């Protein structure tokens, strides 16, 4: 379709979509209303299981299957990205001369690196009490590790995060999540049942399996995000298209990891 | 409270338009990052701290970094591609 | 018969086991030899298949309802947990998915030489996504497993990293399906805002009798994701691009079961939650109009293709059109016919895709003109096997009597004519004849080498020459490839002959349409089916045989006409009145993702307009 | 005035979704299209959280300050948005990997130049 025809059709489509959304939105209750029946049930169920952070209760206790599906989507996309970006015959790994890093940056990252790791672990551990949880803590930890690249050299980052280890911890996170679910099945007859004693609201050890599931999700997310970023960093920094002229065979072996 | 949310919503809408209409993907990674911060502020205003924290971590740090690395790889491929032809 | 509780407890394991196995494969896959990884995957999928069969046997007598985490709704009737619900239709679909995956994995035993287990892990994630989608009783859980199915499918489509041909088919597939999923999420948000519930059974109770325009809009937005996945016009553009580039075993799953799951999603959401709302009086019209458009576009484009995989993809789109038209009558008999048609179509279409894969790996091309007379160059058992399987599958697709596809088509035809749609049988015959004719034309040209050597006829459209071999088999085609294609044809034929299958299908259709039974089972635990007279298993009758014979004749005529057209007087240039719409139709399938999103937006407006009350 | 403000958040969410779709439709670079897709998805977060908001409600984190009686905002939509953000990260990374693969194979990422899928 020529550009002009596409513009006309786009406008027509937009008009249709706007009317559809307008009629739909007009049927909704006004913004900020007080009628939230699911919320009342969810808050009651969360307090019954002594979970202070109701969002974590919904995520890891009441609708645990959605979180399980969400983690599987992340692990599947990591496997997909690894499959799509695997080095191909015409690519060769090259040793890049390292960009000099200012001392101040190096100092800042040396300070921030441990702080970020602590924040990440804290956010993940207190998932059931304060805002945060396995997922947020995991992403904070994963981005924290990459401070090494900002402050140091790419090879330092590569040494500090051995990818095979992270592939194992990623799969281990998912397997532990399933193990806790299966324990719920074995003990109480339903997958993902909250079988541990729930303890007292607001304490560190409360809300039973929510903390454990949050930890498992955190482990899976840390490794997934690290492998994702490693895949993209590897593509942008380390792999180089071998010009077709010198199609040397050893380049191919070196490219295959 | 209504005013704060209404203003933030308008700013987020403008941010979305800015991200969509920046044509060069390299610059778009930057505008996407700032758009992520705007969204996080809106989510805090709407009393959703969990979502704000994860949007901050994903929408501002991880996704723009991936976009920038992808753009860098594609421009490197285009340069080497042009040399070959 | 296991105790009544065990089935409930073990149902979610059908989703968890493949994910567990995929996680283990990701962790240790690099170090295991390729053969072991393939064996482990086959064993796991087999285990899931056994579980699906057990679920199918149990659902023959009662539904299986499993509330995750034990969060069964209280007296008030609305709970916080997620429900899984299996009845005969959903159990049959997940069994079909597992069965097709076993055959696909057997076909692609040594497909990807690259190290690591990505292909097998992604296939297991794909199976878990399809199983979870079919069992979910909660609209947000359907969205999550819809996305899991999508992510695995995007990666599997783009997996042939070395392939220089249309690799952007995967990105078109990814972007269009993701946009549709987000529009569905807007629909889920709207339904949640209005009713405060996400469970299908609870929605059925709170939306009952609601005749406001809001309900129509919520249904349209909710079903956009499923309509796009079902490749219904004008949302179908991504399907042929995805098939053009996906590896053969993945195409078998796309056309065999993933597209049908989109249709299942629309029917399940409508039947349980929106059957008693303003949507009910517009749904017949919507399915009819979309079905006719889909069948027309699918059939015409199918005749125009020379790239075998794209031709088969358009044939799938044409069949989805036929399914929609038959379902627009809304009575159990047509639903039963369509269920049988889906089973038969999945088996026969899978066999055709495997034959196309064999030709691609043996001759390095998948273009009808380049492969002219290739079947004759195959020697010995390989040649006989490929020629006969390809021919039988092509005839089975067109509705040859013993095949399940033919029986399903004739059941649907009789149901439509009884429901007053007299033109129904004629429509089904024409579309089957066109698509069957196109596939038979390929059989004549490629396998038998009929018609003149095509030189210089530079037909438009994407040629299949750029497609790269998935695995170089050299002279001798591995037996496992031919056996798996043969097994699929045998299953396609067997399903049509076994009377208990057609009896089960009729009962399944009646039970699927029983909304109150579903709500009572999910909310109040009354999982038994209502007492229904055991229907006589419908089979072939004279009327059905006559119509099938007519379809076969028409299909052979179309194929013969297409092959011999150059020799007919004046047959060279089709008349102007045919060429202009064909050229327009071809330009609409531009392979450009921006156009597809524009068509998707227009589709949203058109679907809402058709469903609007009054 | 309050009537307009009552539906303004939903209108903004719908506008963001449509903006993302317009971005994809007019984009001449696949990376730009993928970023517009994630903008379109951010519209769904805004819509979900707007659905769950309640004036006077506080964040659904019980503890010393927030007791059983205090009105809280709907936590379920926040859980749905969290899942949606993870899906967005996963799908965006997958599509960017596909775009890199296209750039490797065809040397260009402009949809108009990738015309071999015609017909």
């Amino acid at each position: 379709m020529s550009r002009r025809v596409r513009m006309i059709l786009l406008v027509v489509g937009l008009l249709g979509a706007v009317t559809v959304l307008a009629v739909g939105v007009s049927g909704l209750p006004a913004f900020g209303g007080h009628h939230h029946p699911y919320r009342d049930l969810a808050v009651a169920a969360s307090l019954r299981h002594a979970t202070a952070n109701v969002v974590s209760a919904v995520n890891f206790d009441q609708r645990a299957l959605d979180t399980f599906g969400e983690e599987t989507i992340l692990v599947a996309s990591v496997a997909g990205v690894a499959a799509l970006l695997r080095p191909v015959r015409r690519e060769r790994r090259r040793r890049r001369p390292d960009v000099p890093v200012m001392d101040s940056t190096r100092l800042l990252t040396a300070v921030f690196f441990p702080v970020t790791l602590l924040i990440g672990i804290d956010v993940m551990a207190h998932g059931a009490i304060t805002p945060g949880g396995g997922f947020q803590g995991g992403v904070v930890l994963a981005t924290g590790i990459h401070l090494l690249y900002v402050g140091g050299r790419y090879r330092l980052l590569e040494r500090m995060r051995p990818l095979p280890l992270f592939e194992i911890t990623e799969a281990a996170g998912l397997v532990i999540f399933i193990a806790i679910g299966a324990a719920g099945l074995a003990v109480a007859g339903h997958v993902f049942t909250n079988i541990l004693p729930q303890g007292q609201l607001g304490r560190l050890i409360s809300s039973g399996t929510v903390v454990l599931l949050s930890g498992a999700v955190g482990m899976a997310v840390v490794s997934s995000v690290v492998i994702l970023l490693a895949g993209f960093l590897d593509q942008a920094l380390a792999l180089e298209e071998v010009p077709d002229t010198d199609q040397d065979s050893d380049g191919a072996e070196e490219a295959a990891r | 409270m209504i005013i704060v949310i209404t203003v933030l919503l308008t700013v987020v809408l403008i941010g979305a338009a800015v991200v969509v209409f920046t044509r060069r993907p390299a610059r778009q990674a930057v505008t996407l990052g700032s758009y992520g911060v705007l969204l996080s502020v809106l989510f805090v205003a709407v009393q959703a701290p969990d979502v704000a924290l994860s949007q901050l971590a994903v929408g501002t740090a991880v996704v723009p970094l991936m976009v920038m690395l992808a753009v860098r790889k594609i421009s490197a491929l285009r340069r080497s591609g042009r040399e070959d032809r | 018969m296991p105790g009544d509780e065990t089935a409930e407890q073990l149902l979610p394991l059908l989703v968890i086991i493949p994910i567990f196995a995929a996680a283990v494969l990701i962790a240790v896959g690099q170090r295991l030899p390729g053969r072991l990884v393939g064996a482990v995957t086959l064993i796991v999928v087999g285990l899931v298949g056994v579980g699906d069969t057990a679920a199918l046997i149990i659902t023959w007598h009662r539904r299986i309802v499993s509330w995750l985490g034990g969060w069964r709704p209280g007296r008030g009737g609305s709970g916080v947990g997620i429900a899984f619900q299996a009845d005969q239709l959903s159990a049959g679909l997940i069994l079909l998915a597992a069965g097709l995956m076993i055959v696909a994995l057997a076909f692609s035993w040594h497909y990807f030489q690259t190290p690591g287990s990505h292909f097998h892990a992604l296939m297991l994630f794909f199976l878990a996504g399809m199983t979870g989608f079919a069992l979910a009783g909660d609209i947000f859980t359907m969205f999550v497993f819809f996305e899991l199915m999508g992510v695995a499918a995007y990666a599997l489509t783009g997996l042939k990293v070395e392939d220089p041909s249309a690799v952007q088919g995967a990105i078109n597939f990814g972007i269009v399906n993701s946009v549709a999923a987000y529009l569905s999420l807007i629909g889920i948000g709207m339904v949640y805002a209005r009713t405060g519930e996400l469970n299908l059974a609870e929605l059925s109770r709170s939306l009952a009798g609601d005749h406001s325009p809001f309900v129509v809009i919520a249904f349209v937005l909710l079903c956009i994701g499923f309509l796009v996945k079902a490749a219904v016009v004008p949302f179908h553009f991504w399907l042929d691009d995805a098939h053009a580039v996906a590896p053969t075993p993945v195409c078998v799953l796309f056309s065999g079961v993933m597209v049908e799951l989109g249709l299942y999603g629309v029917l399940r959401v409508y039947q349980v939650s929106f059957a008693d709302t303003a949507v009910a009086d517009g749904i017949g019209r919507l399915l009819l109009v979309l079905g006719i458009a889909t069948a027309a576009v699918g059939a015409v484009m199918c005749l125009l293709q020379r790239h075998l995989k794209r031709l088969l993809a358009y044939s799938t789109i044409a069949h989805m059109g036929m399914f929609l038209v038959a379902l627009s009558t809304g009575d159990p008999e047509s639903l039963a016919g369509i269920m049988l048609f889906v089973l038969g179509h999945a088996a026969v279409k899978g066999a055709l895709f495997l034959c196309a894969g064999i030709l691609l790996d043996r001759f390095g091309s998948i273009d009808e003109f380049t492969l002219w007379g290739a079947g004759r160059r195959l020697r010995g058992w390989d040649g006989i096997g490929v020629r006969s399987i390809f021919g039988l599958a092509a005839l089975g697709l067109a509705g040859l009597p013993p095949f399940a596809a033919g029986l399903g088509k004739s059941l649907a035809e009789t149901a439509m004519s009884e429901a007053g749609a007299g033109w129904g049988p004629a429509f089904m015959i024409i579309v089957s004849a066109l698509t069957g004719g196109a596939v038979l034309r390929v059989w004549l040209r490629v396998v038998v080498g009929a018609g003149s050597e095509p030189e210089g006829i530079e037909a438009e459209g994407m040629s299949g020459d750029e497609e790269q071999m998935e695995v170089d088999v050299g002279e001798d085609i591995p037996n496992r490839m031919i056996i798996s294609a043969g097994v699929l044809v045998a299953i396609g034929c067997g399903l049509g002959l076994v009377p208990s299958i057609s009896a089960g299908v009729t009962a399944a259709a009646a039970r699927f349409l029983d909304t109150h039974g579903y709500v009572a089972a999910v909310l109040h635990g009354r999982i038994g089916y209502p007492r229904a007279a055991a229907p006589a298993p419908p089979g072939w009758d004279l009327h059905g045989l006559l119509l099938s014979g007519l379809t076969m004749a028409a299909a052979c005529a179309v194929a013969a006409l297409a092959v011999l057209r150059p020799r007919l007087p004046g047959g060279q240039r089709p008349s102007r009145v045919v060429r202009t719409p064909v050229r327009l139709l071809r330009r609409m399938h531009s392979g450009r993702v921006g156009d597809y999103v524009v068509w998707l937006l227009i589709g949203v407006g058109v679907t809402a307009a058709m469903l609007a009350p009054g | 005035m309050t009537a307009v403000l009552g539906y303004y958040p939903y209108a903004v969410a719908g506008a963001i979704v449509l903006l993302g779709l317009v971005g994809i439709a007019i984009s001449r670079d696949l990376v730009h299209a993928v970023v517009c897709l994630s903008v379109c998805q951010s519209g769904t977060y805004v819509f979900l959280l707007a659905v769950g908001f309640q004036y006077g409600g506080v964040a659904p984190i019980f503890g010393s300050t927030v007791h059983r009686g205090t009105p809280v905002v709907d936590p379920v939509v926040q859980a749905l948005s969290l899942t949606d953000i993870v899906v967005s990260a996963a799908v965006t990374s997958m599509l960017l990997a596909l775009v890199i693969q296209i750039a490797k194979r065809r040397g260009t990422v402009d949809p108009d130049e990738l015309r071999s899928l015609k017909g």
Side-chain angles (χ1 to χ4, degrees):
Chain A
M1 282 193 292
S2 71
R3 251 190 110 60
R4 208 168 44 75
V5 169
R6 189 181 312 130
M7 282 308 141
I8 296 162
L9 287 181
L10 177 62
V11 168
V12 167
L14 280 178
L15 287 179
V18 164
T19 37
V20 164
L21 286 176
V23 170
V25 161
S26 63
L28 297 182
F31 172 73
H34 293 260
H35 175 61
H36 298 286
Y38 204 126
R39 176 236 359 225
D40 308 333
L41 292 169
V43 165
S46 162
L47 293 178
R48 242 197 340 267
H49 278 184
T51 314
N53 182 351
V54 184
V55 178
S56 293
V58 171
N59 257 338
F60 297 112
D61 190 355
Q62 297 159 26
R63 296 183 67 93
L65 185 72
D66 283 350
T67 313
F68 176 62
E70 161 206 331
E71 283 325 303
T72 316
I73 289 172
L74 193 59
V75 171
S77 78
V78 165
V81 166
L84 291 173
L85 295 185
R86 62 184 187 273
V88 288
R89 270 193 306 279
R90 287 177 37 235
E91 278 182 337
R92 172 168 91 239
R93 191 173 294 282
R94 68 182 188 289
R95 284 283 165 264
R96 279 178 58 83
D98 278 305
V99 176
V101 177
M102 286 194 308
D103 292 342
S104 54
T105 327
R106 202 188 300 273
L107 174 67
L108 270 177
T109 47
V111 167
F112 275 124
F113 177 62
V115 169
T116 321
L117 292 194
L118 280 179
I119 292 173
I121 292 167
D122 170 66
V123 163
M124 192 190 302
H126 291 86
I129 304 152
T130 58
F135 176 68
Q136 294 87 344
V139 181
V140 167
L141 269 175
T143 38
I145 289 173
H146 285 82
L147 277 178
L148 290 174
Y149 162 60
V150 172
R153 295 176 306 284
Y154 182 58
R155 274 205 308 286
L156 173 66
L157 175 69
E158 272 183 334
R159 260 205 323 278
M160 284 296 285
R161 43 127 211 179
L163 277 187
L165 167 69
F166 277 100
E167 271 173 5
I168 291 175
T169 49
E170 173 193 32
L174 206 52
V175 164
I176 291 170
F177 198 103
I178 292 171
I180 296 169
L185 172 66
V187 170
H190 293 286
V191 184
F192 297 124
T193 316
N194 195 341
I195 45 174
L196 286 179
Q198 273 92 37
Q200 217 259 331
L201 188 76
R203 308 293 290 275
L204 181 59
I205 307 299
S206 69
S207 70
T209 57
V210 170
V211 183
L212 298 178
L213 289 177
S214 172
V217 162
M219 185 196 288
V221 165
V222 175
S223 8
S224 299
V225 173
V226 163
I227 297 173
L228 268 181
L229 289 178
F232 282 93
L233 278 167
D234 217 26
Q235 285 295 327
L237 301 181
L239 284 182
E240 182 194 45
E241 193 80 3
V242 175
D244 294 342
T245 47
D246 56 354
Q247 189 65 30
D248 48 8
S249 62
D250 62 278
E253 275 68 37
E254 195 198 346
R257 192 176 19 190
Chain B
M1 196 48 191
I2 302 178
I3 306 304
V4 170
I5 292 177
T6 314
V7 165
L8 278 174
L9 280 169
T10 319
V11 169
V12 159
L13 183 59
I14 295 163
V18 165
V19 174
V20 164
F21 292 114
T22 40
R23 281 308 190 152
R24 285 171 29 80
R27 262 210 310 270
Q28 202 172 20
V30 177
T31 43
L32 182 66
S34 42
Y35 174 67
V37 173
L38 288 178
L39 272 178
S40 296
V41 173
L42 171 69
F43 293 161
V44 170
V46 173
Q47 301 293 333
D50 287 76
V51 187
L53 184 56
S54 69
Q55 168 65 24
L56 198 63
V58 171
T60 316
V62 172
V63 169
L65 177 58
M66 280 198 277
V67 170
M68 212 170 296
L69 290 171
V71 165
R72 187 187 163 110
K73 175 71 179 179
I74 288 165
S75 52
L77 282 167
R78 237 187 232 141
R79 245 180 288 109
S80 70
R82 214 168 291 122
E83 284 144 21
D84 285 359
R85 275 186 208 93
Chain C
M1 278 290 284
D4 57 2
E5 268 309 306
T6 13
E8 270 70 11
Q9 292 163 354
L10 299 183
L11 189 62
L13 290 185
L14 295 179
V15 175
I16 292 174
I17 289 171
I19 293 174
F20 176 79
V24 168
L25 280 184
I26 285 176
V28 295
Q30 315 300 353
R31 295 165 194 78
L32 298 180
R35 194 176 293 278
L36 184 60
V37 170
V40 164
T41 317
L42 260 177
I43 291 165
V44 169
V45 176
L47 193 65
V48 171
V50 165
D52 298 340
T53 322
L56 186 63
I57 293 165
I58 294 172
T59 50
W60 211 286
H61 305 291
R62 61 173 176 80
R63 295 173 194 268
I64 307 175
V65 176
S66 164
W67 283 87
L68 271 300
W71 289 99
R72 181 169 287 278
R75 289 282 61 73
S78 58
V80 288
I82 297 170
F84 265 3
Q85 191 271 346
D87 59 8
Q88 271 173 300
L89 178 57
S90 45
L93 270 175
I94 52 179
L95 179 59
L96 174 65
L100 278 180
M101 187 160 284
I102 287 173
V103 174
L105 285 172
F107 176 85
S108 62
W109 185 249
H110 258 307
Y111 236 62
F112 295 94
Q113 282 80 18
T114 51
S117 56
H118 301 305
F119 173 71
H120 297 286
L122 288 170
M123 285 290 246
L124 286 170
F125 284 129
F126 193 37
L127 176 66
M130 287 192 281
T131 310
F133 181 79
L135 293 177
D138 187 287
I139 44 180
F140 188 74
T141 308
M142 282 173 101
F143 164 78
V144 168
F145 284 110
F146 181 94
E147 279 293 324
L148 175 59
M149 204 170 23
V151 166
Y154 309 154
L156 285 168
T157 308
L159 206 56
K160 292 199 289 187
V161 180
E162 305 293 335
D163 190 334
S165 84
V167 72
Q168 77 270 17
I171 201 95
N172 293 353
F173 174 30
I175 290 183
V176 170
N177 269 271
S178 297
V179 166
Y182 305 150
L183 289 177
S184 284
L185 190 56
I186 294 280
I188 290 172
M190 280 187 183
V191 164
Y192 179 78
R194 173 91 163 209
T195 62
E197 281 147 355
L198 290 173
N199 189 292
L200 282 172
E202 291 165 8
L203 282 177
S204 153
R205 207 187 40 208
S206 44
L207 287 178
D210 183 336
H211 286 282
S212 64
F214 165 80
V215 165
V216 169
I217 299 300
F219 177 76
V220 165
L221 284 175
L222 200 54
C223 285
I224 281 300
F226 310 141
L227 285 173
V228 166
K229 186 70 83 177
V232 173
V233 164
F235 314 110
H236 69 291
F237 293 97
W238 61 273
L239 184 73
D240 50 309
D241 293 354
H243 273 82
V245 76
T248 311
V250 176
C251 288
V252 169
L253 288 161
F254 280 4
S255 277
V257 67
M258 185 178 86
V259 176
E260 282 73 11
L261 274 175
L263 186 58
Y264 161 80
V266 175
L267 292 180
R268 174 70 81 188
V269 166
Y270 165 71
Q271 195 57 49
V272 175
S273 301
F274 291 87
D276 187 11
T277 64
V279 176
D281 38 23
I283 191 78
R285 186 173 56 225
L286 175 72
L287 291 181
L288 186 65
V289 170
L290 288 185
I292 292 175
T294 310
V297 168
V300 168
M301 286 301 281
C302 187
L303 286 165
L304 299 175
Q305 296 306 320
R306 46 187 290 189
H307 184 297
L308 260 59
K309 282 189 184 173
R310 285 173 66 96
L311 183 139
L312 293 172
Y314 278 115
S315 154
T316 304
I317 294 175
H319 278 86
M320 291 306 294
M322 283 202 280
F323 298 159
L324 285 175
V325 165
L327 290 173
S328 64
T329 55
D331 57 342
E333 290 75 18
S334 57
L335 179 56
I338 289 309
M339 277 190 216
L340 208 54
F341 204 165
V342 162
L343 287 175
H345 169 264
V348 162
K349 183 57 67 65
L352 285 170
F353 266 114
L354 293 186
C355 291
I358 290 171
L359 291 174
L360 170 65
D361 294 342
R362 175 69 180 71
F363 297 103
S365 158
I366 201 157
D367 183 276
E368 185 183 350
F369 294 133
T370 325
L371 286 172
W372 182 80
R376 284 214 306 271
R377 277 182 257 139
L378 290 172
R379 286 288 157 266
W381 283 107
D382 297 350
I384 295 166
V386 171
R387 281 194 290 270
S388 53
I389 289 170
F390 200 118
L392 267 176
L395 292 171
L397 191 66
L400 190 68
F403 279 82
L407 178 57
K409 185 164 82 69
S410 75
L411 289 183
E413 280 161 3
T414 39
M416 284 167 76
S417 49
E418 272 154 22
W423 47 268
F427 170 79
M428 300 279 269
I429 288 172
I430 292 169
V431 176
S432 295
L434 286 177
T435 51
V439 178
L440 279 172
R441 176 198 82 209
V442 167
W443 185 73
L444 286 174
R445 275 219 179 100
V446 167
V447 176
V448 175
S452 56
E453 166 88 24
E455 75 299 310
I457 308 178
E458 200 40 47
E460 282 179 13
M462 215 184 88
S463 98
D465 292 340
E466 290 171 20
E467 181 117 4
Q468 209 203 17
M469 272 194 210
E470 285 148 9
V471 56
D472 183 1
V473 292
E475 291 309 313
D476 171 38
I477 300 171
N479 295 339
R480 68 174 189 290
M481 289 190 170
I482 297 176
I483 291 166
S484 38
V487 160
L488 274 181
V489 170
I491 291 173
C493 186
L495 287 176
L497 294 173
V498 174
S500 69
I501 300 264
S502 50
V505 152
T506 321
R511 287 163 179 168
F512 178 81
L513 296 177
D514 169 17
T515 312
H516 301 296
Y518 180 100
V519 172
V522 170
L523 292 186
H524 313 302
R526 295 199 296 276
I527 45 181
Y529 290 121
R531 278 283 148 275
W540 288 100
D541 56 0
L542 185 62
H543 181 67
L545 284 172
L546 274 178
L547 288 183
S548 298
L550 189 62
T551 323
M552 300 311 319
C556 297
V558 165
L561 186 69
V563 169
L564 305 175
R565 182 163 56 84
R567 289 215 201 92
L568 295 180
Q572 282 296 357
R573 302 297 300 162
S575 66
R576 166 166 300 285
V577 75
V578 170
R579 262 205 327 268
T580 37
V582 162
R583 206 160 8 87
L584 180 66
L585 202 58
R586 220 189 256 290
R587 257 178 9 155
M588 270 167 55
H589 294 75
S590 59
R592 202 186 166 291
V593 73
D595 301 349
Y596 296 172
V597 168
V598 168
W599 286 114
L600 193 134
L601 270 177
I602 291 175
V604 169
V606 162
T607 314
M610 263 191 283
L611 264 181
Chain D
M1 232 294 273
T2 50
V4 169
L5 282 183
Y7 292 93
Y8 180 66
Y10 304 133
V12 166
I16 294 175
V17 169
L18 292 182
L19 261 173
L21 294 184
V22 165
I24 298 173
I26 60 173
S27 95
R28 302 189 60 80
D29 181 314
L30 282 177
V31 174
H32 174 270
V34 170
V35 172
C36 290
L37 181 71
S38 77
V39 166
C40 169
Q41 184 164 18
S42 63
T44 58
Y45 317 148
V46 174
F47 182 77
L48 281 174
L49 291 177
V51 159
F53 183 71
Q54 171 178 321
Y55 284 124
V58 290
I61 317 284
F62 290 92
S64 50
T65 56
V66 179
H67 308 296
R68 291 176 187 273
T70 35
V72 281
V73 170
D74 188 343
V76 178
V77 278
Q78 294 186 13
L80 304 187
S81 307
L82 271 175
T83 306
D84 204 14
I85 288 177
V86 172
V87 165
S88 141
V91 167
T92 309
S93 64
M94 171 76 66
L95 295 179
L96 285 175
L98 283 172
V99 171
I100 290 178
Q101 198 192 351
I102 290 170
K104 276 187 198 169
R105 298 274 76 69
R106 312 301 298 274
T108 166
V109 279
D110 179 351
D112 291 337
E113 285 167 24
L114 297 161
R115 293 316 295 266
S116 74
L117 259 185
K118 241 182 65 48

